[in-house]
Amino acid sequence: MKEKEAKLNAEAQQPELNLNFEEAMNQLEDIVSQLEHGDVPLEKAIDLFQQGMRLSQICGQKLAQVEQKIEMIVEEDGAVAKQPFQPPLSDNADF
């Protein structure tokens, strides 16, 4: 019973939230590598998968935040102006 409570507390704290994008991506790549090898016990594989999903969400959120901050500098009618970055919409998303 105490083990379940400790596990729930550890998951609730989610230290991944303090990671920067690069750290989260590195951890996600490590998890993918472990899962691809296939020699991970089922329970550990499920835990790794859940952690990977959290890291994936964190990376997506951080990318969205950066996208909002990026401004494009464009020249219009001989004058330089700033415009918010708008990525092209594509039907062929890689994710």
Side-chain angles (χ1 to χ4, degrees):
M1 187 67 115
K2 288 183 182 181
E3 285 181 50
K4 286 184 180 180
E5 290 176 6
K7 185 176 180 180
L8 289 175
N9 287 338
E11 288 177 358
Q13 292 174 0
Q14 296 183 356
E16 297 100 6
L17 295 177
N18 297 327
L19 298 175
N20 65 34
F21 178 81
E22 290 79 13
E23 292 169 335
M25 274 303 285
N26 287 336
Q27 285 188 17
L28 184 56
E29 288 172 356
D30 290 343
I31 288 171
V32 169
S33 176
Q34 288 179 45
L35 291 173
E36 285 180 341
H37 282 36
D39 58 352
V40 178
L42 180 60
E43 289 296 322
K44 181 169 173 82
I46 292 169
D47 289 341
L48 287 171
F49 178 79
Q50 290 173 336
Q51 183 182 5
M53 291 302 294
R54 286 192 302 270
L55 289 166
S56 175
Q57 289 175 342
I58 290 168
C59 288
Q61 291 168 353
K62 291 189 183 289
L63 284 175
Q65 290 171 355
V66 169
E67 240 177 41
Q68 291 174 352
K69 290 180 183 179
I70 294 176
E71 291 183 334
M72 293 176 22
I73 298 175
V74 295
E75 187 174 343
E76 293 178 1
D77 299 325
V80 176
K82 291 182 183 179
Q83 291 181 346
F85 174 74
Q86 295 178 356
L89 297 176
S90 172
D91 292 339
N92 299 330
D94 289 341
F95 49 102

